[in-house]
């Protein structure tokens, strides 16, 4: 139901973009997503899935006209509205789940990091770089690099250089990164 609700909102925003209207996310949708974020009863792994916005592949199946710019603008608009309203909560949850080690906690933590980076939240790049440096497993390290690759920062280049230097002789790891 959450995925469908977000999909409908993105489709509305795409239509508004195509029609030259201002992109204004429905505040009730943003608040509904916030309720999911703040609900402590939802398992972290499931919460991570519920907070994912439909990607371009799903939007392409739903839209008659494939318009990557419209898809991107709709996603950015909804993401930024959500993160602006819940930035403090997202950051606190990221730090809370950063210290836990279940796969669900890692999934939620990484998704929250992506949201912060996608919305250009101050310090999100340094948070991603810190995760890269302190990662205890490859999932955390790869997700930190993916988040950093969404930026145009010196931390991105430093992480990529360090990763390449550390893993250039391991074809399995290197190929995983190239995927």
């Amino acid at each position: 139901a959450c995925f469908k609700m977000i999909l409908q909102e993105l489709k509305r925003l795409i239509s508004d973009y195509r029609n030259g209207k201002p992109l204004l996310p429905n505040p009730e949708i943003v608040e509904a997503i916030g309720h999911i974020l703040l609900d402590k009863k939802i398992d972290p792994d499931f919460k991570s899935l519920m907070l994912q916005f439909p990607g371009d592949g799903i939007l392409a199946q739903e839209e008659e006209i494939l318009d990557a710019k419209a898809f991107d603008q709709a996603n950015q608009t909804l993401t930024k509205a959500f993160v602006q309203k819940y930035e403090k909560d997202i950051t606190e949850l990221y730090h809370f789940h950063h210290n836990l080690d279940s796969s669900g906690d890692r999934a939620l933590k990484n998704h929250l990091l992506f949201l912060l980076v996608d919305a250009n939240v101050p310090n999100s790049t340094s948070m991603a770089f810190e995760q890269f440096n302190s990662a205890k497993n490859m999932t955390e390290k790869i997700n930190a690099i993916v988040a950093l690759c969404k930026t145009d920062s010196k931390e991105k280049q430093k992480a990529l250089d360090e990763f390449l230097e550390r893993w250039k002789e391991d074809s399995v790891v290197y190929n995983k990164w190239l995927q």
Side-chain angles (χ1 to χ4, degrees), residues 158-173:
K158 190 171 181 184
L160 288 170
D161 292 344
E162 287 177 26
F163 189 83
L164 175 61
E165 185 59 35
R166 168 69 177 93
W167 297 104
K168 66 183 175 187
E169 302 299 324
D170 189 325
S171 62
V172 173
V173 173

Side-chain angles (χ1 to χ4, degrees), residues 128-150:
F129 192 64
E130 171 59 32
Q131 179 174 314
F132 172 80
N133 286 323
S134 66
K136 298 176 187 143
N137 58 58
M138 190 58 73
T139 300
E140 288 181 354
K141 196 165 279 285
I142 291 283
N143 279 285
I145 290 176
V146 170
L148 287 167
C149 283
K150 296 177 177 197

Side-chain angles (χ1 to χ4, degrees), residues 58-118:
I58 299 293
L59 293 171
Q61 292 174 22
E62 294 286 322
E63 294 291 316
E64 289 182 27
I65 300 169
L66 303 181
D67 186 345
K69 188 162 182 159
F71 295 178
D72 186 54
Q73 289 297 313
N75 248 314
Q76 280 185 8
T77 299
L78 189 56
T79 298
K80 284 182 180 182
F82 172 63
V83 172
Q84 284 175 347
K85 181 165 180 149
Y86 294 98
E87 179 182 339
K88 182 178 181 247
D89 299 303
I90 293 168
T91 303
E92 287 174 1
L93 277 172
Y94 169 82
H95 288 297
F96 175 78
H97 288 280
H98 186 70
N99 297 322
L100 303 175
D101 199 34
S102 75
S103 63
D105 292 309
R106 285 191 304 270
L108 181 57
K109 170 188 72 174
N110 290 323
H111 185 68
L112 296 173
L113 181 61
F114 293 155
L115 287 170
L116 293 167
V117 169
D118 286 343

